[in-house]
Amino acid sequence: MTETIGKTKLTFTVNGRETEVLVDPSWTLLRVLRESLGLTGTKRGCEEGDCGLCTVIMEDRAVDSCLVMALQAQGKTVETIEGMGHEHALHPLQKAFIEEGAVQCGFCTPGMIMSSEALLRQNTHPTVEEIKVGLSGNLCRCTGYTKIFKAVAKGSESGGRL
Amino acid sequence: MQSFQFYSPNYLEDALKYIADRKQTCRTLAGGTDLIPMLKKEEIRPDYLLNINEVGELKGVEDLDNQVRIGATTTFTEMIESETLNRFFPLLVNAAASVGGPQIRNRGTIGGNVITNGPCADVLPGIVALDGQLELQSKQDGRRLVSVADVLVTAYETSIRSDELLTGILIQKPVQGTKSGFEKLGRRNAMAKARLNLSIALRQDPNGTISAVSIVPGAVMPVAVRMNDVESMLLGRKPTPVLIQAAADKLVEVVVNTAGIRWSSEYKVPVLKNIFKRVMWRVLAEDPQ
Ligand SMILES: Cc1cc2nc3c(=O)[nH]c(=O)nc-3n(C[C@H](O)[C@H](O)[C@H](O)COP(=O)(O)OP(=O)(O)OC[C@H]3O[C@@H](n4cnc5c(N)ncnc54)[C@H](O)[C@@H]3O)c2cc1C
Ligand code: FES
Ligand code: FES
């Protein structure tokens, strides 16, 4: 690969679609998703890895998109909340979150769902302890977490993504 | 964030050439969990950023004859999932598992943990406890091996040159019968950067006498360092409650003398003593590998 100066082409797969976008090397993946691609379901919070609001799945693993440089996603597969489901065909985890009342203000929910999805890909039937560990990089100021953990357990029973 | 040029080579040779030509104006980017926040705050303003994540030679855990090589860009998650590390160095697996939350473990690398050399590092103390060696490479000098303890100058500072890359961590496979333990105390939230951690490795003779021991507390000293004075108290002796208590007192004495008197008034003194005794007894009670 050659050195890039100024704006440069980033080619990666976003929610199953081959995507090309011009980025500045100083941009983070979070910025490209939200500002260049309009995928604003991924939230912006602390910008330093503490809150997990910006969580997306890159190469099958949960990452904080605020701590990934955009050009580090070159050639990679990225999934955001927009790829999980939509109004008329909710993802099982989204359904479970709603049914369990795990959504209050909802600001943490996209990140929570992405972390949960990444967890269920590694571990189809996590224990509550494993769910807690899996979501330990995501903060929620509203729910007290219990309902979120329940929702993930339910999402895994109903098959999650299975 | 101030902009920079970004280079992402696939081969080590290209990476080494790139930093050799640019030295101080270039920063190496691995998982970015330490570096990207610094770039955002403009605490550093490099002209060039070298992304080493695509360099194959830096990735993964290799089982060599009598040692194990952990590539510098091996992530904490990859360490946890490595069969070789689980078999030979559970200490490092437990340390890696204690880092941050999943998102940080999926990106953060062992090499970044060493080079940052933060006093709160969780995996670095384990490498020191196991007498790990760093494999450093540069265009000018090729490959050199140094003991990890020799490059940790002071908090956030190493003696690794700006034209060098850390390419791997080499650790001798443990002698039969070696046992180890790791424990970390932090805030309850898993995202807590370590406030206190302890890595211990030891061996006992068939009659119980401690024949080898290595003790490294983390987040209490400026850099991770073996507690030689405590170790020599334990060597050649059979563990008794009196001996372990004396060793715990010694450990705290060494730490207070090094880290300063203010430290001693904090809650850490009793906590460090307790964590030491707990991990020691747990390791002693374990069956050898
Ligand atoms: C929210 C959060 C929680 C955290 N929790 C913990 C924790 O619990 N425990 C813990 O120990 N750490 C923790 N950290 C710190 C961090 O994740 C670790 O120190 C990690 O090991 C850094 O690795 P990295 O690959 O991300 O390094 P980077 O940020 O990419 O690089 C760190 C430094 O090392 C240099 N560098 C990296 N690789 C090389 C190389 N191969 N050769 C030469 N130079 C190199 C870089 O130039 C930079 O100076 C946390 C960080 C965050 C943001
Ligand atoms: S915005 Fe990325 S972790 Fe908080
Ligand atoms: S629902 Fe409001 S932050 Fe989680």
Side-chain angles (χ1 to χ4, degrees):
Chain A
M1 219 194 113
T2 48
E3 184 183 77
T4 49
I5 304 167
K7 278 213 180 178
T8 172
K9 196 162 75 182
L10 164 65
T11 308
F12 63 147
T13 305
V14 182
N15 296 328
R17 217 170 287 146
E18 177 99 345
T19 303
E20 254 185 43
V21 54
L22 273 184
V23 305
D24 187 273
S26 68
W27 292 357
T28 60
L29 175 60
L30 173 64
R31 175 164 177 180
V32 170
L33 292 173
R34 286 181 57 86
E35 296 179 22
S36 309
L37 302 177
L39 296 170
T40 53
T42 303
K43 300 303 176 204
R44 177 169 176 267
C46 67
E47 286 267 10
E48 51 187 32
D50 284 321
C51 73
L53 290 178
C54 65
T55 304
V56 301
I57 295 179
M58 184 158 108
E59 302 282 298
D60 260 344
R61 301 286 189 173
V63 303
D64 292 320
S65 60
C66 72
L67 290 188
V68 178
M69 298 313 297
L71 289 173
Q72 289 187 298
Q74 190 74 259
K76 309 276 186 224
T77 300
V78 172
E79 296 160 80
T80 70
I81 189 69
E82 285 86 353
M84 287 296 111
H86 51 82
E87 251 177 276
H88 304 294
L90 290 178
H91 184 280
L93 275 169
Q94 291 171 316
K95 247 178 100 181
F97 267 64
I98 295 167
E99 285 168 8
E100 289 296 322
V103 182
Q104 284 187 31
C105 82
F107 207 56
C108 71
T109 312
M112 287 286 180
I113 301 247
M114 298 317 288
S115 284
S116 308
E117 169 71 7
L119 168 68
L120 296 184
R121 284 185 195 180
Q122 301 296 321
N123 181 351
T124 49
H125 285 84
T127 62
V128 175
E129 212 30 62
E130 289 166 339
I131 293 173
K132 281 186 189 170
V133 171
L135 297 185
S136 59
N138 292 74
L139 300 183
C140 173
R141 295 190 313 183
C142 308
T143 65
Y145 300 100
T146 313
K147 289 178 172 176
I148 294 179
F149 299 151
K150 270 195 177 160
V152 179
K154 184 168 183 174
S156 69
E157 276 158 27
S158 71
R161 59 178 289 278
L162 316 175
Chain B
M1 191 188 301
Q2 184 182 282
S3 198
F4 36 72
Q5 297 178 27
F6 187 91
Y7 182 52
S8 187
N10 293 317
Y11 299 102
L12 183 59
E13 202 189 330
D14 297 330
L16 295 179
K17 183 162 183 299
Y18 194 77
I19 45 166
D21 296 343
R22 289 166 184 81
K23 300 203 177 75
Q24 273 91 347
T25 55
C26 175
R27 277 309 276 261
T28 301
L29 172 67
T33 57
D34 280 323
L35 194 72
I36 294 175
M38 291 170 75
L39 289 168
K40 287 185 185 181
K41 292 179 205 138
E42 301 203 342
E43 286 167 7
I44 47 167
R45 297 153 169 262
D47 296 322
Y48 307 93
L49 213 57
L50 170 68
N51 176 35
I52 55 173
N53 280 299
E54 306 302 322
V55 178
E57 291 122 299
L58 302 184
K59 266 235 155 314
V61 179
E62 275 173 280
D63 184 339
L64 307 172
D65 265 353
N66 43 18
Q67 50 184 6
V68 171
R69 177 182 183 272
I70 310 171
T73 60
T74 306
T75 64
F76 299 122
T77 298
E78 286 161 352
M79 290 177 68
I80 297 164
E81 292 174 354
S82 156
E83 267 176 45
T84 302
L85 290 186
N86 276 281
R87 174 153 168 233
F88 294 111
F89 304 114
L91 170 58
L92 296 181
V93 173
N94 291 333
S98 82
V99 171
Q103 295 96 321
I104 300 297
R105 292 195 290 278
N106 287 339
R107 293 296 293 170
T109 65
I110 187 169
N113 208 249
V114 172
I115 301 289
T116 292
N117 187 23
C120 322
D122 282 315
V123 177
L124 178 56
I127 302 172
V128 173
L130 297 167
D131 291 327
Q133 287 202 304
L134 305 185
E135 178 193 84
L136 302 169
Q137 298 196 50
S138 66
K139 189 183 163 209
Q140 188 187 311
D141 296 338
R143 177 175 182 272
R144 68 178 179 122
L145 289 181
V146 292
S147 161
V148 64
D150 290 344
V151 304
L152 307 179
V153 179
T154 181
Y156 302 110
E157 205 182 312
T158 71
S159 58
I160 293 163
R161 299 196 316 251
S162 57
D163 69 329
E164 280 181 319
L165 278 183
L166 170 62
T167 51
I169 288 106
L170 288 162
I171 310 177
Q172 287 299 119
K173 284 186 187 167
V175 175
Q176 182 110 36
T178 303
K179 309 188 280 185
S180 67
F182 172 86
E183 193 166 316
K184 164 175 169 178
L185 289 184
R187 269 175 283 142
R188 264 196 63 198
N189 189 303
M191 300 303 283
K193 291 177 196 171
R195 277 165 147 193
L196 214 161
N197 66 48
L198 183 68
S199 299
I200 294 182
L202 61 77
R203 254 190 332 275
Q204 287 170 280
D205 287 344
N207 68 6
T209 306
I210 297 173
S211 56
V213 60
S214 176
I215 299 167
V216 182
V220 295
M221 300 287 276
V223 294
V225 55
R226 283 182 61 173
M227 299 283 103
N228 293 323
D229 291 353
V230 183
E231 293 169 8
S232 55
M233 274 180 79
L234 295 163
L235 272 177
R237 316 265 308 261
K238 282 189 188 173
T240 61
V242 174
L243 179 66
I244 301 301
Q245 180 62 49
D249 293 342
K250 186 78 190 172
L251 173 64
V252 165
E253 186 194 313
V254 172
V255 169
V256 169
N257 284 343
T258 319
I261 202 72
R262 259 191 64 211
W263 190 88
S264 63
S265 59
E266 288 181 44
Y267 83 106
K268 278 185 180 174
V269 166
V271 171
L272 180 60
K273 269 189 200 177
N274 285 336
I275 197 178
F276 172 75
K277 287 190 277 186
R278 190 161 66 232
V279 177
M280 248 343 242
W281 284 119
R282 199 174 65 221
V283 175
L284 287 166
E286 231 174 61
D287 287 333
Q289 263 183 338

